[in-house]
Amino acid sequence: MSSVKIFSGHATKYLAEKIAQSYGKPLGEVTHQTFSDGEMCPYFSESVRGCDVFIIQSTFPPADNFMELLLLIDGAKRASAKYVTVVVPYFGYARQDRKDKPRVAIAAKLMANLLTAAGADRIMTCDLHADQIQGFFDIPLDHLDGTSIFIPYLKALNLDNIIFASPDVGGVKRTRAFAKFFDAEMVVCDKHRKRANEVASMRLIGDVEGKDVIMVDDLIDTGGTMCKAAALLKEKGANSVRAVVTHGVLSGKAYENIENSVLEELVITDSLPLRGESSKIKVLTIADLFAKAIRKIHDHESISSLFIQA
């Protein structure tokens, strides 16, 4: 069987090192050369001929992160790698997965096309913004589930009157999956937006009186929706409000919003690097989950055992 080699783009090296360590192999060496005008020229500093190559990079802004990933994929294919698996812990541009207004791009589909065109043989990611994005790829995609990270942590909290909440209607399916593990009820915060990152109004569907509420979402950006939903839940009689979110994008005034909110804590993963600090933010690592998935893929085994079954 061909040997495994794990590499990383510049932006996600902090996580790739943990994944490689958990897998039991050193992270492969990539040299990052940059021309004076900013043009990138990353290249592998070791042979990948005949190897199963895993390239780790989350595709968050700036766009150079995505461009670097494409160059590394192309470089691996041209260097005669046997199989190239692209590991994208956070799949950027996933919020643009449909035409919600005239004359707009479907960016998630474009990202999928570009990764395939660059030469990727397989994609591995975690908690896509919408499940149907899996269908945007014409190559195999392994969609890992963040519940296996969060469920053990939430169980360890030993909350008595637990109830789960979705901060919007679109997250109901994800929230219901969490509620099933705990045999708990769920509520929904129905929001109306006038424009991106700005909530115009919100109302609660369900009862949270005296409950310990866990809000569930796939990503948190400015934190406006999450903090407004937390305030509404508290207003409706919730005993405590926490949030578990896979991808901590945390841009704009996110850290300030979270610190000043009624949230007890915000639990996220390290799929994205933290850009600031807050006493309310708890980070759980997804390195072990991805390392196990890499091993199973290389050994041609099912990854179903990595999912927690309700």
Side-chain angles (χ1 to χ4, degrees):
M1 186 176 285
S2 56
S3 64
V4 169
K5 290 203 173 183
I6 302 172
F7 297 93
S8 172
H10 188 72
T12 319
K13 193 171 183 181
Y14 72 97
L15 176 58
E17 287 175 340
K18 288 189 275 188
I19 293 173
Q21 183 178 9
S22 179
Y23 185 84
K25 274 200 165 226
L27 190 64
E29 190 176 339
V30 175
T31 300
H32 299 272
Q33 182 181 336
T34 306
F35 293 101
S36 61
D37 65 348
E39 182 180 320
M40 293 176 296
C41 179
Y43 60 92
F44 300 97
S45 304
E46 56 190 86
S47 174
V48 296
R49 185 178 296 274
C51 297
D52 271 2
V53 172
F54 291 82
I55 304 172
I56 303 168
Q57 179 86 306
S58 286
T59 54
F60 56 91
D64 278 0
N65 291 335
F66 189 75
M67 186 65 190
E68 180 191 19
L69 178 58
L70 295 177
L71 292 171
L72 288 171
I73 296 167
D74 187 69
K77 294 299 286 187
R78 294 180 188 278
S80 301
K82 181 183 178 183
Y83 202 80
V84 177
T85 300
V86 180
V87 180
V88 189
Y90 168 70
F91 185 76
Y93 289 89
R95 284 174 281 186
Q96 300 179 57
D97 61 342
R98 65 198 183 282
K99 287 193 71 172
D100 56 353
K101 51 182 167 289
R103 299 173 296 281
V104 67
I106 303 179
K109 172 59 176 169
L110 176 60
M111 297 298 108
N113 288 347
L114 290 170
L115 289 168
T116 305
D121 294 303
R122 177 183 289 271
I123 305 291
M124 187 193 302
T125 188
C126 182
D127 284 351
L128 287 166
H129 187 60
D131 287 343
Q132 63 266 25
I133 293 173
Q134 297 176 64
F136 290 0
F137 290 89
D138 294 323
I139 56 176
L141 184 143
D142 294 297
H143 189 207
L144 303 182
D145 191 344
T147 53
S148 60
I149 305 295
F150 294 120
I151 295 295
Y153 178 80
L154 293 176
K155 283 185 175 177
L157 293 176
N158 292 317
L159 298 173
D160 294 327
N161 300 311
I162 195 168
I163 191 170
F164 289 86
S166 175
D168 55 40
V169 175
V172 167
K173 181 184 174 185
R174 183 179 293 106
T175 306
R176 186 176 288 118
F178 272 81
K180 281 177 67 179
F181 288 116
F182 291 84
D183 195 23
E185 297 296 318
M186 64 166 285
V187 298
V188 180
C189 298
D190 182 27
K191 70 180 178 185
H192 167 64
R193 288 190 192 273
K194 284 187 176 178
R195 57 184 66 89
N197 295 123
E198 187 177 317
V199 179
S201 63
M202 183 177 286
R203 63 192 179 96
L204 180 66
I205 304 171
D207 180 27
V208 294
E209 184 75 37
K211 300 284 189 177
D212 293 307
V213 183
I214 308 291
M215 285 193 291
V216 179
D217 213 344
D218 65 302
L219 68 86
I220 179 169
D221 194 349
T222 63
T225 298
M226 193 67 73
C227 294
K228 193 162 187 171
L232 177 63
L233 291 163
K234 268 286 195 180
E235 184 184 310
K236 296 296 183 180
N239 182 43
S240 67
V241 184
R242 289 174 170 80
V244 292
V245 184
T246 307
H247 308 297
V249 178
L250 301 175
S251 66
K253 294 183 177 180
Y255 290 93
E256 181 183 331
N257 291 339
I258 292 160
E259 197 65 35
N260 297 329
S261 73
V262 298
L263 283 171
E264 297 281 330
E265 65 177 346
L266 168 66
V267 188
I268 61 175
T269 73
D270 52 0
S271 63
L272 290 155
L274 278 182
R275 298 171 181 171
E277 289 184 2
S278 171
S279 59
K280 292 188 176 183
I281 296 177
K282 167 81 173 177
V283 182
L284 305 178
T285 186
I286 53 175
D288 293 343
L289 176 64
F290 275 97
K292 289 174 184 175
I294 288 172
R295 188 175 303 281
K296 286 184 177 297
I297 287 169
H298 177 65
D299 294 341
H300 303 293
E301 295 178 359
S302 170
I303 65 166
S304 297
S305 62
L306 300 179
F307 298 88
I308 294 181
Q309 303 297 327

